Structure formats: structure tokens, C-alpha cells
Amino acid sequence: LHQIGWASPLFEQTEWEGRTGWRKPMVFGISNAMVFVSMRQALRCQRLVPRSVVAHVAAWSTAVEVSIITLQAWRGVPSHFNTSTPLDASLYAI
């Protein structure tokens, strides 16, 4: 990341690795995209549940999860098992 000149100002305030780094939100985003591609294929093959219901629930829950993880990385605090303040405890409970 240090070699990417245009992106380094975005990551100067926090670290890339560790409990409060930017790696976790990016990995969650990439892995969730891969899950959605697989889920799309699986939902095409079934008739029990309407595809739109499952897709909307999965998309919204993932958006909330990745948003919370990104917010915590931006704040510079751990996103998981963090109950140090009422805000952190409520975000972890979601």
C-alpha cells in the first residue's frame, strides 16, 4: 500500500494491519461479493423461497455489517468484541 501514491493519504491516519486496520473492511467486502455470486447461482436452482426475499435480506444485512466494520476502522477502534463505550457496545450487538 505504501507504493500506491494516490491512495496513501487515505490510509495515513490508521494502519493497514491489526485490529483497527483497513484490511478487514476490504476483505469483508471482497468475500461478501464472492458469497453473493455463489448465492445467486444457488437461488436460481431452488423454488422454496422467493429469490428477491433472500437476496434483499442478505444484501441489507451485509451492507449493515460492512458499514459498521468500516465505521469502526475509520474511528480507529476494533470492530469485534469491543464493548468499551456504549456506542461500541451497541454497534457490536448489531
Side-chain angles (χ1 to χ4, degrees):
L1 185 64
H2 288 61
Q3 296 174 359
I4 302 174
W6 60 270
S8 63
L10 298 174
F11 298 103
E12 283 184 42
Q13 300 298 319
T14 60
E15 57 192 31
W16 179 251
E17 296 288 334
R19 292 187 73 195
T20 60
W22 283 102
R23 181 185 54 81
K24 187 181 287 185
M26 293 186 71
V27 168
F28 267 76
I30 292 167
S31 64
N32 283 325
M34 292 167 45
V35 166
F36 282 129
V37 169
S38 300
M39 189 170 66
R40 179 176 178 238
Q41 290 300 108
L43 287 174
R44 285 182 171 181
C45 299
Q46 62 88 31
R47 302 272 186 238
L48 297 174
V49 181
R51 288 190 315 210
S52 64
V53 172
V54 175
H56 280 91
V57 169
W60 281 106
S61 62
T62 300
V64 169
E65 179 185 25
V66 173
S67 297
I68 290 172
I69 291 169
T70 304
L71 173 69
Q72 295 294 72
W74 177 72
R75 291 178 58 221
V77 296
S79 57
H80 289 81
F81 308 107
N82 183 7
T83 56
S84 58
T85 67
L87 175 62
D88 291 329
S90 64
L91 290 175
Y92 174 63
I94 293 174

